[in-house]
Amino acid sequence: MSPARILRWCRHLAHPRLSVWPSSRQAHWTANQQEGVGALPGHVREFVESSARLCAPQDIHVCTGSEHEAQSMLGLMEAQSQVVRLPRHQNCWLACTDPRDVARVESRTVIVTDSQRDTVPTPSDGTASKLGNWMSPQVFEREMGLRFPGCMKDGLSPSTWPCNPEKTLIAHLPDQREILSFGSGYGGNSLLGKKCFALRIASRMAKDEGWLAEHMLILAITNPAGRKRYVAAAFPSACGKTNLAMMKPLLPGWKVGCVGDDIAWMRFDSEGRLRAINPENGFFGVAPGTSWKTNPNAMETISRNTIFTNVGRTSDGGVYWEGIDTPIPPGVTLTSWTGSPWTPGDAEPCAHPNSRFCTPASQCPIMDPEWESPQGVPIDAIIFGGRRPEGVPLVYEAFNWPHGIFIGSAMRSESTAAAEHKGRVILHDPFAMRPFLGYNLGHYLQHWLNMETEGSGRHLPRIFHVNWFRKDREGSYLWPGFGDNCRVLDWICRRLDGEADALETPVGYVPAPGSLDLSGLQGVQAEALFSLPKAFWEHEAAQIREYLTVQLGPDLPPAILWEAENLQRRVAEM
Ligand code: OXD
Ligand code: MN
């Protein structure tokens, strides 16, 4: 994330207060950093100095962000075997982590506030909240005291991945707008501008200041007549946000532009339009499944200036992962992310399922011309979605704003490798924000509900839900997905224009027969894609209501409870 972008939107970055711990040593700046140090604003310098006293590093380097600096750091890491150059691609590198440090660690991610209720609701069944981890300031002080003092004193042994899985702790102090991350180098735990700041801390700032910080992609879609619209979409981690954000539409004449693939900051402008910016400067996407067929724009983006993590490697200096769909030339051998020789068919995957690419957004061939616009782009529709093998139709539209907020709160999805969960289970993931909430979900839902009533003359985006992942009885996907998802965006755009027919069902409006463009698609069973099995929905509606009432307890907004009860009633009458 570029600092300028953050600063444009955030005016409340408080002074850090690491100096509470005893200073063990004077900060030591090496000569060639003096210039950088002098250029630091006073409170940043204070922060660095107090952190240095606490952590006791041998040297301090102030990053300038220059190309020269990046190359010398990579060169140093290469010399220490911490990264490997990938000579088949210009300025591409591979880092393989300690196998214990491969994903976000939700169980060790905490929000520190005086009052527990500011962070998580109190479940009505007396169990621990599933909507985040609260830590009291007193426990936080103790835990930090056990980790940070002197933690940089000992040299890191070259060629091992620095991490401390037993002591990993990712702590957020939303009142102070502060983050302290210890013990993990995995991106989602250690790239603090991303999940930690742009979602957890920013969602709290957004609540305080009347805007929204969301786990959403932003894309531009232009129809063959040249009408362009922007939509934002929230899917849980590793459910295809990057693929949708960079889609190559298979319907003739349609065009997609990418604004962002993971995070949206949104606010209503003075004319009542919801405007979104992408606060990030690059993509940190899941590699497995990415191919020239599924996401050619991503493949082009990552062909240079990219750092790969935990992917496999070809003996001719390229990358490899499950689903890359590129033939291996004769004589070329493969090495897995764990460093072992690997051949197709081996029991273990070549790339870790949560292996990633980290690459500059500006290299994506379809970045929308407005992607860095400071005003943001106007959002006409918000799309929720998840990985639902059963029962959930390809697309449906909310009846109105509160119903749309309810649909977001009721999101569920099959677990993926993005976090530490084991096995394939259907998890609740309200607004795809469960791992990224910076405050109580009940207050968060109320904040979203308030968007309808807070300002006058607001043009609220319409709200939709999609599911590309429904399967038939044999376990095959019912929908081709990828570039054909443009057909669903086409229906959504035509709904916005008042030109697509819909049927009212207990869950929302679904496309009327014939209103979704299926031309040229072979063998798609529209009935199966849109069927609403009564038994499934009875169970689903009951589970959603139970989850929301138990997990949110007294913090469940009455409007959301009313929607949950109504869904159950409508399904019972089906
Ligand atoms: C991500 C995630 O890395 O959501 O974007 O886990
Ligand atoms: Mn994400």
Side-chain angles (χ1 to χ4, degrees):
M1 176 173 353
S2 93
R5 293 169 143 238
I6 299 174
L7 290 174
R8 266 207 305 268
W9 279 62
C10 319
R11 307 219 164 72
H12 299 278
L13 288 170
H15 291 207
R17 25 143 250 154
L18 277 170
S19 50
V20 288
W21 287 292
S23 66
S24 55
R25 185 186 135 140
Q26 279 304 305
H28 168 226
W29 310 83
T30 54
N32 64 347
Q33 287 131 18
Q34 286 301 336
E35 203 184 315
V37 175
L40 291 177
H43 65 280
V44 178
R45 188 186 164 104
E46 271 167 40
F47 171 79
V48 176
E49 287 182 339
S50 62
S51 305
R53 280 195 297 275
L54 176 69
C55 303
Q58 187 180 325
D59 292 315
I60 299 167
H61 177 85
V62 178
C63 287
T64 61
S66 71
E67 193 46 43
H68 171 75
E69 176 184 69
Q71 289 310 318
S72 59
M73 280 191 187
L74 284 163
L76 184 64
M77 291 174 79
E78 184 181 24
Q80 297 182 343
S81 307
Q82 286 177 326
V83 293
V84 175
R85 193 184 289 272
L86 295 164
R88 274 199 55 174
H89 306 285
Q90 186 198 327
N91 192 28
C92 284
W93 302 81
L94 169 63
C96 288
T97 72
D98 183 308
R100 298 168 300 167
D101 191 22
V102 291
R104 283 185 289 101
V105 201
E106 290 178 11
S107 58
R108 289 168 178 270
T109 300
V110 302
I111 309 278
V112 182
T113 47
D114 289 335
S115 151
Q116 178 166 2
R117 193 166 176 185
D118 284 346
T119 294
V120 283
T122 308
S124 61
D125 64 357
T127 57
S129 174
K130 295 187 173 138
L131 295 167
N133 301 311
W134 174 72
M135 188 176 263
S136 72
Q138 294 73 25
V139 174
F140 166 76
E141 293 292 338
R142 194 183 65 222
E143 293 298 322
M144 290 297 113
L146 292 173
R147 289 169 173 78
F148 279 92
C151 64
M152 294 181 184
K153 215 183 280 176
D154 309 326
L156 300 171
S157 47
S159 82
T160 57
W161 177 259
C163 66
N164 191 339
E166 287 79 40
K167 284 197 174 166
T168 292
L169 192 64
I170 324 303
H172 305 71
L173 286 75
D175 292 322
Q176 289 86 349
R177 319 299 198 214
E178 190 177 345
I179 306 155
L180 288 95
S181 175
F182 186 92
S184 169
Y186 170 74
N189 301 323
S190 65
L191 296 173
L192 302 190
K194 192 172 172 66
K195 302 300 183 180
C196 298
F197 176 71
L199 287 177
R200 297 193 192 97
I201 297 288
S203 65
R204 232 308 284 282
M205 295 167 70
K207 157 139 183 312
D208 295 350
E209 299 169 7
W211 50 283
L212 301 160
E214 300 300 327
H215 193 200
M216 291 182 182
L217 67 89
I218 310 163
L219 65 78
I221 174 108
T222 308
N223 74 9
R227 170 84 157 102
K228 182 175 184 176
R229 292 185 178 275
Y230 291 92
V231 304
F235 304 162
S237 307
C239 285
K241 282 203 298 299
T242 306
N243 288 343
L244 185 62
M246 298 184 192
M247 183 181 38
K248 201 163 185 173
L250 288 177
L251 275 182
W254 285 80
K255 211 175 124 198
V256 163
C258 178
V259 176
D261 79 328
D262 196 43
I263 299 179
W265 286 357
M266 305 190 286
R267 66 172 176 201
F268 284 93
D269 66 14
S270 55
E271 281 154 26
R273 298 209 73 178
L274 186 63
R275 293 199 163 259
I277 66 161
N278 163 17
E280 298 192 272
N281 202 40
F283 305 118
F284 178 59
V286 178
T290 308
S291 71
W292 287 101
K293 227 185 266 164
T294 60
N295 193 340
N297 289 317
M299 292 300 277
E300 201 168 322
T301 310
I302 63 182
S303 62
R304 57 193 202 282
N305 304 323
T306 298
I307 298 177
F308 295 90
T309 310
N310 291 343
V311 302
R313 173 159 58 107
T314 61
S315 55
D316 61 348
V319 287
Y320 191 84
W321 50 75
E322 281 54 39
I324 194 168
D325 211 13
T326 312
I328 305 156
V332 169
T333 58
L334 293 165
T335 304
S336 77
W337 73 281
T338 56
S340 316
W342 190 90
T343 40
D346 279 4
E348 295 298 322
C350 185
H352 186 276
N354 192 37
S355 52
R356 300 272 177 154
F357 50 77
C358 189
T359 193
S362 56
Q363 290 183 185
C364 174
I366 60 155
M367 286 318 278
D368 184 75
E370 294 299 308
W371 86 276
E372 293 191 285
S373 152
Q375 299 90 316
V377 296
I379 299 295
D380 287 328
I382 292 176
I383 304 173
F384 296 119
R387 215 175 255 277
R388 297 304 303 268
E390 249 191 277
V392 178
L394 177 66
V395 56
Y396 59 97
E397 183 183 350
F399 298 127
N400 50 40
W401 186 256
H403 181 234
I405 308 306
F406 166 68
I407 290 174
S409 76
M411 273 172 65
R412 302 176 74 199
S413 190
E414 216 174 48
S415 54
T416 66
E420 74 262 47
H421 308 290
K422 295 270 175 302
R424 291 202 154 191
V425 281
I426 305 286
L427 297 173
H428 291 270
D429 194 352
F431 278 70
M433 280 289 280
R434 189 193 44 76
F436 311 117
L437 288 163
Y439 64 100
N440 184 318
L441 177 67
H443 305 163
Y444 169 96
L445 295 177
Q446 191 58 53
H447 182 54
W448 266 90
L449 289 165
N450 292 349
M451 293 291 145
E452 188 178 25
T453 46
E454 255 166 14
S456 57
R458 284 190 170 171
H459 309 282
L460 294 170
R462 301 254 288 270
I463 299 179
F464 298 80
H465 187 280
V466 299
N467 174 28
W468 320 135
F469 301 95
R470 194 163 179 178
K471 291 181 174 171
D472 64 16
R473 283 215 183 87
E474 283 71 50
S476 306
Y477 287 112
L478 285 164
W479 179 246
F482 304 108
D484 281 310
N485 292 338
C486 158
R487 298 168 188 272
V488 172
L489 296 182
D490 162 38
W491 185 77
I492 290 174
C493 289
R494 284 187 290 113
R495 284 296 288 165
L496 301 176
D497 293 334
E499 286 169 8
D501 291 336
L503 295 179
E504 186 172 337
T505 75
V507 305
Y509 297 114
V510 299
S515 79
L516 182 72
D517 185 349
L518 297 176
S519 56
L521 271 188
Q522 302 296 317
V524 165
Q525 308 160 44
E527 258 172 50
L529 269 173
F530 287 103
S531 72
L532 294 170
K534 181 163 171 140
F536 171 89
W537 275 97
E538 277 174 341
H539 188 240
E540 179 78 2
Q543 289 211 321
I544 290 168
R545 180 171 166 187
E546 184 187 328
Y547 179 78
L548 292 173
T549 50
V550 170
Q551 284 301 314
L552 277 79
D555 293 324
L556 178 62
I560 300 295
L561 175 60
W562 189 88
E563 292 291 346
E565 288 169 350
N566 268 313
L567 173 65
Q568 257 191 317
R569 185 187 44 72
R570 290 191 304 265
V571 168
E573 288 165 5
M574 250 160 105

